[in-house]
Amino acid sequence: MLMFGGITLSFIFIVLAMILGGGVGAFIDPQSFLIVIGGTIGATIAKFPPKDLIKGFKTAMLASKGRKDETNLSQLVDTTEELLKKTRREGLISIEGQTTGNDFFDKGLAFMLAAPDARSVERYLSDEIQNLINQAQRGKSVMDALADAAPAFGMIGTVIGLILMMGSLDDPEMIGPALAIALLTTLYGAILANAAFIPMAEKIAAWQSVTVHEQELIALCLLAIKNSQSPMIMRETVKPYLTHDFYKLPEVAE
Amino acid sequence: MLMFGGITLSFIFIVLAMILGGGVGAFIDPQSFLIVIGGTIGATIAKFPPKDLIKGFKTAMLASKGRKDETNLSQLVDTTEELLKKTRREGLISIEGQTTGNDFFDKGLAFMLAAPDARSVERYLSDEIQNLINQAQRGKSVMDALADAAPAFGMIGTVIGLILMMGSLDDPEMIGPALAIALLTTLYGAILANAAFIPMAEKIAAWQSVTVHEQELIALCLLAIKNSQSPMIMRETVKPYLTHDFYKLPEVAE
Amino acid sequence: MLMFGGITLSFIFIVLAMILGGGVGAFIDPQSFLIVIGGTIGATIAKFPPKDLIKGFKTAMLASKGRKDETNLSQLVDTTEELLKKTRREGLISIEGQTTGNDFFDKGLAFMLAAPDARSVERYLSDEIQNLINQAQRGKSVMDALADAAPAFGMIGTVIGLILMMGSLDDPEMIGPALAIALLTTLYGAILANAAFIPMAEKIAAWQSVTVHEQELIALCLLAIKNSQSPMIMRETVKPYLTHDFYKLPEVAE
Amino acid sequence: MLMFGGITLSFIFIVLAMILGGGVGAFIDPQSFLIVIGGTIGATIAKFPPKDLIKGFKTAMLASKGRKDETNLSQLVDTTEELLKKTRREGLISIEGQTTGNDFFDKGLAFMLAAPDARSVERYLSDEIQNLINQAQRGKSVMDALADAAPAFGMIGTVIGLILMMGSLDDPEMIGPALAIALLTTLYGAILANAAFIPMAEKIAAWQSVTVHEQELIALCLLAIKNSQSPMIMRETVKPYLTHDFYKLPEVAE
Amino acid sequence: MLMFGGITLSFIFIVLAMILGGGVGAFIDPQSFLIVIGGTIGATIAKFPPKDLIKGFKTAMLASKGRKDETNLSQLVDTTEELLKKTRREGLISIEGQTTGNDFFDKGLAFMLAAPDARSVERYLSDEIQNLINQAQRGKSVMDALADAAPAFGMIGTVIGLILMMGSLDDPEMIGPALAIALLTTLYGAILANAAFIPMAEKIAAWQSVTVHEQELIALCLLAIKNSQSPMIMRETVKPYLTHDFYKLPEVAE
């Protein structure tokens, strides 16, 4: 949400600049847009398979969603403690079907209950986390490639416009409007890169570090349950993940 | 295929921009093209031997080909399991002449059957993979060098054109067309870099990681056959290569 | 203080340039400023949560404050020696309530006296230092993102202005003023990046290394007290932090 | 040779562009060239001692020479095998005075025969290789510095030209020619960097890796002779240097 | 010396360009210079404390001085051998007060004679070398910051000049001179960065590696004396510092 909020904010100010300057109409030219976006996508699918392009956008969307369970890292640990107390009394079977509100935790819980031993749980969780890292890195690569290509094709469009304009200077009246149109591709390329692709790439990177941090904590919780660790030892183990919490930066003394 | 598809797409949009603007004719100037491409190639063969240049393009072509056996990493493992079952019953000789549809697998199979021991198979396969990495890295270096040189020589061509134009401003009518021609080298340099050399360099890098991933998996399969491993242990060994599969990214939850 | 002194100095010279050139009035255009700052903030909160943006500025402010205890690294060691002599005679309880003038030292002292063992003191201090590093790195990332976005949106604003101007060249008299206004966003973006965001990012990085250096020294002092080390061994331990002092660079021989 | 071939090729196309455009005359201005080359050299000898500058060019020349013994890595091993067979039968003394056509081999052979033990041979060869690496890295640094400075001083020259031109716009006829001359320094700087210094820097880097590869192989050969290794073991030892040969990249399947 | 020689050379060619073009007068504008240098210094002391700025220049000056003892690394070893022979016969006390012409050696010698054991000598020397590295790195950071800020403030000054000029195009006669003045800040920024700050930063880096190399050699010599090593072993120990001498690069075969 925040990502799209930010991108929308940037666009609002860009459109505001256009309106204050005289109207948005002068900035809408489907042909110019087609050329920039077409060239950019072409160059990007020359680098990555097309399905990666789609996956990149999906990852960006996923990264931009407000995470509902954003503030409850210590709640997760509390939940784990409760589950742990129950399973140490009544066995793993007693928590079957329970949910915690966190998708990764619930999915891991189900797997953990069915798994033959702690080792296979550990491998399953580390594979899941590794897959998330792969997905995020590939998504970021795609966004980086788009962010590189967009201004380049904007510039190519402008040079094409300039050459066309200069080749036919018969009517000096037309120089201004022709230049204006030539500059549109540069504008589109710059906006696409700076207000969309670069923020998306950065957002995916930020999302990756926060999500991996949370999933590593959850993995420790699930392994503690599988191993019937004492709650106190479990709390010790996950402590660094709570202290160095991405969301609880130390108060800035003023 | 996809690479050439992407490059072609980029070119289609560039040519579209030209046509929509008034015609492709104004953009065709063999002399300007000769200068950009000649200078670029000159600067590149000053850095690398000419045969490396040719090899770079061959590697880019190889990297851009749709890989027919793209989705069958787990099929490769299934095939290996079958071969393994057979050789454990009937000896290595029983699978002589069999093919799997994967070139690297078949070549390795033939070598493996003739090889005196597992150690020489291992070295042979690791040499093959290392050679592929060398080839890819050198190809990428050549493409990077071309991508750096093309815009530079485009700019040099434009400055030359500007100087010539400014030295003879007798006929103001000629300024426009002269500027148009001067800008053509910039355009050629930008197009060559952004729609051809940069995508080729990136494609080679992507191809390298996917191919090395697959070949490392095949190497494990072949060594398992040579060592008559139990199929179950073989599956355990290759598992990380299947889980972290480049082609099976996790579903993006929506 | 110094950071704001430096930033103020830069602004004084920029305003001076405006005044000497004919007056500041021509450079004040709230609309242009709104567009640059709005787009920049939008792109940045698309990358980071808004609270990180605020935290980034707070960290920059913290980093820019003149540190009152800047020169007393060896004083801190002297103080530690005194405290150590006292506690070795009279027990840890004897220094309860004492203050040293250094906030981190005092906070650590209070924790250390209450802590059950040296190990928990060590973990507490290392968490505090790690949190400071996290805070500084995140603050720097935010400032870097702002410094990247500001010139980009300045450029976008200028291209918008150019397009508007060129679309309506009816009155040649208006070209100059319109161009002047178009250039304002470029100016704002360049000033924001070079005279504010880049120095803030660098300042945070410099503050991090100096503060971490000091806090690591204090951590060694506090652990020495907790462990009732002999003053001599404590001095040996902290020596590298005094010798390689950030504030006592060797005299430059001339 | 190839480097100079490439540089010459680049220059041919640049001069071609000039001739096709109207003549080389407009591009020759000794003053402009003096300013660019003088400023570039000045800035470079402010960074490195002047003798390093000369050594940088000597290294570039050395790197650009066609290496006569380019294809005979396996010949070198064959030669080593022959020498080895002889020395194992008749003693080291029997190969005194023999030459192999490779300078580094011959120099090493002479040293090896005179050396008291294998250890001193090893150190001598590793020093020789390290010196070559030092020389190449320093040469590359000098070329990099030249490649950075040349466009900068070209730009400075052009700004100087623009300022002079604008200060005296009395005769509008003179604007064109004055601009043309102002642009010459930009052109010189761009050509020097892109058609000379950058290729030279890259060439030195490529030469370093190929030469070090070869010399490391030769070092292994000489040590094998000194230690009277069996030819078979010698062949095993040097194998990785032959397989991963820089000159024998795998065939690109088509 | 050489650094200032190089910088002076660059300035001579820049001034030459001005004179050949019509006179230096058009390039002197104290206001423009004040704006560039003031903004640059302001931005830099927003990043570093002002005393670091002064130290940065002192370090650059130190780095640029011709080192009198530049060629005598092997002389230093010879001297060490003499001292060693004397102390092994007559004791450490016999060389008290002796000087070698190298400041670092003499300072270390005095410390070594007074030091209780080899360990404290080792720590003292390693602290000295570490301090030199700290000083050089900080000096380089300051120069890098100046080199980044100068062109940025030159550009800001030019944009300010352009805006002022365009706002008042009443007198077309004045466009040229106004543009000329606007460009002066760009020129000043480019010259300051390319002919002063960048070379100074590079010079400090080069000075650091040469001086650290020499001081490490001297440290080995002093420790050999403290430990009364046999001269032969001392020579063995320092050999890598002589062979890989920065000043004795291998002859370039031609």
Side-chain angles (χ1 to χ4, degrees):
Chain A
M1 263 4 187
L2 288 167
M3 184 181 79
F4 290 111
I7 290 180
T8 308
L9 197 66
S10 292
F11 272 95
I12 286 173
F13 281 102
I14 291 168
V15 172
L16 199 70
M18 294 170 177
I19 293 173
L20 290 173
V24 173
F27 297 96
I28 296 176
D29 185 38
Q31 289 177 4
S32 300
F33 187 72
L34 204 68
I35 285 153
V36 175
I37 201 75
T40 301
I41 289 175
T44 306
I45 65 178
K47 299 176 194 166
F48 301 98
K51 63 184 174 193
D52 275 28
L53 201 70
I54 294 160
K55 261 181 186 157
F57 279 102
K58 280 191 181 166
T59 307
M61 255 173 246
L62 189 65
S64 70
K65 279 208 205 132
R67 300 180 58 255
K68 283 167 247 143
D69 45 4
E70 195 180 331
T71 51
N72 59 1
L73 287 200
S74 56
Q75 271 183 41
L76 281 175
V77 178
D78 293 343
T79 306
T80 307
E81 187 164 2
E82 283 171 41
L83 294 174
L84 208 45
K85 283 180 181 161
K86 201 166 181 194
T87 57
R88 276 158 72 93
R89 277 198 316 270
E90 309 170 31
L92 277 178
I93 204 71
S94 65
I95 59 168
E96 197 156 23
Q98 274 200 282
T99 57
T100 62
N102 181 297
D103 289 346
F104 187 76
F105 202 123
D106 292 345
K107 227 172 109 192
L109 206 57
F111 184 93
M112 185 265 284
L113 293 172
D117 53 21
R119 177 130 172 56
S120 62
V121 177
E122 198 175 342
R123 175 182 287 176
Y124 166 79
L125 292 167
S126 106
D127 281 355
E128 289 290 304
I129 292 171
Q130 187 58 46
N131 280 343
L132 187 129
I133 291 171
N134 287 350
Q135 178 189 13
Q137 284 178 345
R138 178 144 308 196
K140 185 168 185 305
S141 301
V142 168
M143 290 300 145
D144 285 342
L146 287 166
D148 285 349
F153 281 91
M155 191 271 262
I156 288 172
T158 295
V159 175
I160 289 175
L162 286 176
I163 291 172
L164 284 168
M165 187 195 80
M166 281 161 182
S168 57
L169 287 177
D170 306 332
D171 183 2
E173 293 270 308
M174 289 313 295
I175 294 180
L179 255 177
I181 287 174
L183 279 173
L184 277 177
T185 54
T186 288
L187 182 65
Y188 292 158
I191 291 175
L192 281 173
N194 288 293
F197 299 139
I198 295 176
M200 282 179 188
E202 295 293 321
K203 190 74 188 177
I204 292 175
W207 170 76
Q208 177 190 327
S209 60
V210 169
T211 309
V212 167
H213 181 85
E214 187 193 85
Q215 294 192 350
E216 285 176 350
L217 168 63
I218 292 174
L220 290 179
C221 291
L222 290 170
L223 285 170
I225 299 177
K226 188 74 183 177
N227 290 324
S228 278
Q229 273 180 3
S230 94
M232 209 183 74
I233 287 174
M234 181 273 291
R235 281 203 175 272
E236 272 302 285
T237 316
V238 302
K239 207 169 178 183
Y241 283 87
L242 295 179
T243 320
H244 303 171
D245 186 353
F246 276 88
Y247 298 111
K248 267 200 274 171
L249 289 178
E251 286 306 300
V252 173
E254 265 156 303
Chain B
M1 262 4 187
L2 288 168
M3 184 180 80
F4 290 113
I7 290 179
T8 308
L9 197 65
S10 291
F11 272 97
I12 286 173
F13 282 101
I14 290 168
V15 172
L16 200 69
M18 293 170 177
I19 293 173
L20 290 173
V24 173
F27 297 95
I28 296 175
D29 184 40
Q31 288 177 4
S32 300
F33 187 72
L34 203 69
I35 286 153
V36 175
I37 202 74
T40 301
I41 289 175
T44 307
I45 63 177
K47 299 175 194 168
F48 301 98
K51 63 183 173 192
D52 275 27
L53 200 71
I54 294 159
K55 262 181 186 156
F57 280 102
K58 280 191 180 165
T59 307
M61 257 173 244
L62 189 66
S64 70
K65 277 207 205 135
R67 300 180 59 255
K68 283 167 248 145
D69 45 4
E70 195 179 331
T71 51
N72 59 0
L73 287 199
S74 56
Q75 271 183 41
L76 281 176
V77 178
D78 293 344
T79 307
T80 306
E81 187 165 1
E82 283 171 41
L83 294 174
L84 208 44
K85 284 180 181 160
K86 201 167 182 194
T87 56
R88 276 158 72 93
R89 278 196 317 270
E90 309 171 30
L92 277 178
I93 204 72
S94 66
I95 58 168
E96 197 156 23
Q98 274 201 282
T99 57
T100 62
N102 180 298
D103 289 346
F104 187 77
F105 202 124
D106 291 345
K107 227 172 108 192
L109 207 57
F111 184 93
M112 185 267 283
L113 293 171
D117 53 22
R119 178 129 171 57
S120 62
V121 177
E122 198 175 343
R123 174 182 287 176
Y124 166 79
L125 292 167
S126 106
D127 281 354
E128 288 290 305
I129 292 171
Q130 186 58 46
N131 280 344
L132 187 127
I133 291 172
N134 286 351
Q135 178 189 13
Q137 284 178 343
R138 178 145 308 198
K140 185 167 185 307
S141 301
V142 168
M143 289 300 146
D144 285 340
L146 287 166
D148 285 347
F153 281 90
M155 191 271 263
I156 289 172
T158 296
V159 175
I160 290 175
L162 285 176
I163 291 172
L164 284 168
M165 186 196 81
M166 281 161 182
S168 58
L169 288 177
D170 305 333
D171 183 2
E173 293 270 307
M174 290 312 295
I175 294 179
L179 255 176
I181 287 174
L183 279 173
L184 276 178
T185 53
T186 289
L187 182 66
Y188 291 158
I191 291 174
L192 281 173
N194 288 292
F197 299 140
I198 294 176
M200 281 178 187
E202 296 293 321
K203 191 75 189 177
I204 292 175
W207 169 77
Q208 176 191 329
S209 60
V210 168
T211 310
V212 166
H213 180 86
E214 187 193 86
Q215 293 192 350
E216 284 176 350
L217 167 64
I218 293 174
L220 290 179
C221 292
L222 290 170
L223 285 170
I225 300 177
K226 188 73 184 177
N227 290 324
S228 278
Q229 273 179 3
S230 94
M232 209 184 73
I233 287 174
M234 181 273 291
R235 280 203 175 271
E236 273 301 286
T237 316
V238 302
K239 207 169 178 183
Y241 284 88
L242 294 180
T243 319
H244 303 171
D245 187 353
F246 277 89
Y247 299 111
K248 267 200 273 170
L249 289 177
E251 285 307 299
V252 173
E254 266 156 305
Chain C
M1 262 6 187
L2 288 167
M3 184 181 78
F4 290 112
I7 290 180
T8 307
L9 197 66
S10 291
F11 272 96
I12 286 173
F13 281 102
I14 290 168
V15 173
L16 200 70
M18 294 170 177
I19 292 172
L20 291 173
V24 173
F27 297 96
I28 296 177
D29 184 39
Q31 289 178 4
S32 300
F33 187 72
L34 204 69
I35 286 153
V36 175
I37 201 77
T40 301
I41 288 175
T44 306
I45 66 178
K47 299 176 194 166
F48 301 98
K51 63 184 174 191
D52 276 29
L53 199 72
I54 293 160
K55 262 181 186 156
F57 280 102
K58 280 191 181 166
T59 307
M61 255 173 246
L62 190 65
S64 70
K65 279 208 204 133
R67 301 181 59 256
K68 283 166 247 143
D69 46 3
E70 196 180 329
T71 49
N72 58 1
L73 286 199
S74 56
Q75 271 182 40
L76 281 176
V77 178
D78 293 344
T79 307
T80 305
E81 186 164 3
E82 283 172 42
L83 293 174
L84 207 45
K85 283 179 181 162
K86 201 166 181 195
T87 57
R88 276 158 71 91
R89 277 197 318 269
E90 309 170 30
L92 277 179
I93 204 71
S94 65
I95 59 168
E96 196 155 23
Q98 274 201 282
T99 57
T100 62
N102 180 297
D103 289 346
F104 187 77
F105 202 124
D106 292 344
K107 227 172 108 192
L109 206 58
F111 184 93
M112 184 266 283
L113 293 173
D117 53 21
R119 176 130 172 56
S120 62
V121 176
E122 198 174 343
R123 175 182 287 176
Y124 165 79
L125 291 167
S126 106
D127 282 354
E128 289 290 305
I129 292 171
Q130 187 57 47
N131 281 342
L132 187 130
I133 292 172
N134 287 350
Q135 179 189 13
Q137 285 178 343
R138 178 144 307 197
K140 185 168 184 308
S141 301
V142 168
M143 290 300 146
D144 285 342
L146 288 165
D148 285 349
F153 281 91
M155 191 270 261
I156 288 173
T158 296
V159 175
I160 289 175
L162 286 176
I163 290 172
L164 284 168
M165 186 196 82
M166 281 163 182
S168 57
L169 288 176
D170 306 332
D171 184 1
E173 293 269 309
M174 290 312 296
I175 295 180
L179 255 176
I181 287 175
L183 279 172
L184 276 178
T185 54
T186 289
L187 182 65
Y188 292 158
I191 290 175
L192 281 172
N194 289 292
F197 299 140
I198 295 176
M200 282 178 188
E202 295 294 320
K203 190 73 187 179
I204 292 175
W207 170 75
Q208 177 190 327
S209 60
V210 168
T211 310
V212 166
H213 180 86
E214 187 193 85
Q215 294 192 351
E216 285 177 350
L217 167 62
I218 293 174
L220 290 179
C221 291
L222 289 170
L223 285 170
I225 299 177
K226 188 75 183 176
N227 290 325
S228 279
Q229 273 179 4
S230 93
M232 209 183 75
I233 287 174
M234 181 273 292
R235 281 204 174 271
E236 271 303 285
T237 316
V238 301
K239 207 169 176 181
Y241 284 87
L242 295 180
T243 320
H244 304 170
D245 186 353
F246 276 88
Y247 299 111
K248 267 200 274 172
L249 290 177
E251 285 307 299
V252 173
E254 265 156 303
Chain D
M1 262 5 187
L2 288 168
M3 183 181 79
F4 290 112
I7 290 179
T8 308
L9 198 64
S10 290
F11 272 95
I12 286 172
F13 281 102
I14 290 168
V15 172
L16 200 69
M18 293 170 178
I19 293 172
L20 290 172
V24 172
F27 297 96
I28 295 176
D29 184 39
Q31 288 177 4
S32 299
F33 187 72
L34 203 69
I35 286 154
V36 174
I37 202 75
T40 300
I41 289 176
T44 306
I45 63 177
K47 300 176 192 166
F48 301 97
K51 63 184 173 192
D52 275 28
L53 200 71
I54 293 160
K55 260 180 188 160
F57 279 101
K58 280 191 180 165
T59 307
M61 255 174 246
L62 189 65
S64 69
K65 278 207 204 134
R67 301 181 59 255
K68 282 167 247 143
D69 44 4
E70 195 180 331
T71 51
N72 58 1
L73 288 199
S74 55
Q75 272 184 40
L76 281 175
V77 178
D78 293 343
T79 307
T80 306
E81 186 163 2
E82 283 171 42
L83 293 173
L84 207 45
K85 283 181 180 159
K86 200 166 182 194
T87 57
R88 276 158 71 92
R89 277 195 319 270
E90 309 171 31
L92 279 177
I93 205 71
S94 66
I95 59 168
E96 197 156 22
Q98 274 201 283
T99 58
T100 62
N102 180 298
D103 289 345
F104 187 78
F105 202 125
D106 291 345
K107 227 172 109 192
L109 207 57
F111 184 93
M112 185 267 283
L113 292 172
D117 52 22
R119 177 131 172 56
S120 62
V121 176
E122 199 173 343
R123 173 180 289 176
Y124 166 78
L125 291 168
S126 106
D127 282 354
E128 288 290 304
I129 292 171
Q130 186 58 45
N131 280 343
L132 187 127
I133 292 172
N134 286 350
Q135 179 189 13
Q137 285 179 343
R138 177 144 307 198
K140 185 168 184 306
S141 301
V142 168
M143 288 301 147
D144 285 340
L146 288 165
D148 285 349
F153 281 90
M155 191 271 263
I156 288 172
T158 296
V159 175
I160 290 174
L162 286 176
I163 290 172
L164 283 169
M165 186 196 82
M166 282 160 182
S168 57
L169 288 177
D170 306 331
D171 184 2
E173 293 271 307
M174 289 313 295
I175 295 179
L179 255 175
I181 287 174
L183 279 172
L184 276 178
T185 54
T186 288
L187 182 65
Y188 291 157
I191 291 175
L192 282 173
N194 288 292
F197 299 140
I198 294 176
M200 282 178 187
E202 295 293 319
K203 191 73 188 179
I204 291 175
W207 169 76
Q208 177 191 328
S209 60
V210 168
T211 310
V212 166
H213 181 86
E214 187 193 86
Q215 294 190 350
E216 285 176 349
L217 168 63
I218 293 174
L220 290 178
C221 292
L222 290 170
L223 285 170
I225 300 177
K226 188 75 183 177
N227 290 324
S228 278
Q229 273 179 3
S230 94
M232 209 183 74
I233 288 175
M234 182 273 290
R235 280 203 174 271
E236 273 301 285
T237 316
V238 302
K239 207 169 178 183
Y241 284 87
L242 294 180
T243 320
H244 302 171
D245 186 353
F246 278 89
Y247 299 111
K248 266 200 274 170
L249 289 177
E251 285 307 300
V252 173
E254 266 156 303
Chain E
M1 262 4 187
L2 288 168
M3 184 181 79
F4 290 111
I7 290 180
T8 308
L9 197 65
S10 291
F11 273 95
I12 286 172
F13 282 102
I14 290 168
V15 172
L16 199 69
M18 294 170 177
I19 293 172
L20 291 173
V24 173
F27 297 96
I28 296 175
D29 184 39
Q31 289 177 3
S32 299
F33 187 72
L34 204 69
I35 286 154
V36 174
I37 201 76
T40 301
I41 288 175
T44 306
I45 65 177
K47 299 175 192 165
F48 301 97
K51 63 184 173 192
D52 275 27
L53 200 71
I54 293 160
K55 261 179 187 158
F57 279 101
K58 280 190 180 164
T59 307
M61 255 174 246
L62 190 65
S64 69
K65 279 207 205 133
R67 301 180 59 255
K68 281 166 248 143
D69 45 3
E70 196 179 330
T71 51
N72 58 1
L73 287 201
S74 56
Q75 270 183 40
L76 282 175
V77 178
D78 293 343
T79 307
T80 306
E81 187 164 3
E82 282 171 42
L83 293 174
L84 208 45
K85 283 181 180 160
K86 201 167 182 193
T87 56
R88 276 158 72 92
R89 277 196 317 270
E90 310 169 30
L92 278 178
I93 205 69
S94 66
I95 59 168
E96 197 156 22
Q98 274 200 283
T99 57
T100 62
N102 180 297
D103 289 345
F104 187 77
F105 202 123
D106 291 344
K107 226 172 109 191
L109 206 58
F111 184 93
M112 184 267 282
L113 293 173
D117 53 21
R119 176 132 172 56
S120 61
V121 176
E122 198 174 343
R123 175 180 288 176
Y124 166 79
L125 291 167
S126 107
D127 282 353
E128 289 290 304
I129 292 171
Q130 187 57 45
N131 280 343
L132 188 128
I133 291 173
N134 286 350
Q135 178 189 13
Q137 284 179 343
R138 178 144 306 199
K140 185 168 184 305
S141 300
V142 168
M143 289 301 146
D144 285 341
L146 288 165
D148 285 348
F153 281 90
M155 192 270 261
I156 288 173
T158 296
V159 176
I160 289 175
L162 286 175
I163 290 172
L164 284 169
M165 186 195 82
M166 281 162 182
S168 56
L169 288 176
D170 305 332
D171 183 2
E173 294 270 308
M174 290 311 296
I175 295 180
L179 256 177
I181 287 174
L183 279 173
L184 276 178
T185 55
T186 288
L187 181 66
Y188 292 157
I191 291 175
L192 282 173
N194 289 292
F197 300 139
I198 295 176
M200 281 178 188
E202 295 294 318
K203 190 74 189 178
I204 291 175
W207 170 75
Q208 177 191 329
S209 60
V210 168
T211 310
V212 167
H213 181 85
E214 186 194 87
Q215 294 191 351
E216 286 176 349
L217 167 62
I218 292 173
L220 290 179
C221 292
L222 290 170
L223 285 170
I225 299 177
K226 188 75 184 176
N227 291 324
S228 278
Q229 273 178 5
S230 94
M232 209 183 74
I233 287 175
M234 182 273 292
R235 281 203 174 271
E236 272 301 286
T237 315
V238 302
K239 206 170 176 182
Y241 285 86
L242 294 180
T243 319
H244 303 171
D245 186 354
F246 277 88
Y247 299 110
K248 266 199 275 170
L249 289 177
E251 285 307 300
V252 173
E254 264 156 305

